[in-house]
Amino acid sequence: MTDEEKEALAKRIWHNLSDTVYGMAAHDMSRAALRTRASMEHLFILITMGDLLGIPILPPYYSLRLLPYVVPQIATWKRRMLREKDVADAMFG
């Protein structure tokens, strides 16, 4: 084995080890943070664009000012808000 092959093997082992440690230690926390972020984004859209579902919370002026920032997420937000929910969603969602 040449020095380059040994170095490549060592890098591969280090990379695999670091991925394993990340998976054991931080993966669940990062997934929880992403779920929290998604919930906050959906709540923000509900507060600003709730009149699309018939829930007038903010005056339309402010909703229209925020509309350009929200447009890419409106379709998925509507689908999530109008989806039927059951007990499994509450436990595992």
Side-chain angles (χ1 to χ4, degrees):
M1 232 188 216
T2 65
D3 288 339
E4 293 174 359
E5 291 173 345
K6 288 179 184 178
E7 187 175 322
L9 179 64
K11 283 184 181 181
R12 221 175 23 232
I13 290 172
W14 177 254
H15 181 68
N16 290 341
L17 183 65
S18 66
D19 282 350
T20 302
V21 170
Y22 166 76
M24 291 181 350
H27 181 70
D28 190 44
M29 288 187 298
S30 64
R31 297 228 351 132
L34 288 174
R35 280 193 305 267
T36 303
R37 178 181 173 213
S39 295
M40 292 299 220
E41 284 180 359
H42 287 292
L43 183 62
F44 171 73
I45 295 173
L46 175 65
I47 290 170
T48 56
M49 299 292 151
D51 53 339
L52 292 174
L53 296 176
I55 306 169
I57 297 175
L58 280 180
Y61 171 76
Y62 297 109
S63 297
L64 289 175
R65 297 268 321 240
L66 294 170
L67 187 62
Y69 304 104
V70 176
V71 166
Q73 301 169 350
I74 286 180
T76 57
W77 170 73
K78 275 185 178 179
R79 196 168 42 247
R80 181 176 176 187
M81 294 302 292
L82 298 174
R83 183 182 68 182
E84 281 189 41
K85 296 189 169 123
D86 59 357
V87 177
D89 285 341
M91 288 190 308
F92 304 112

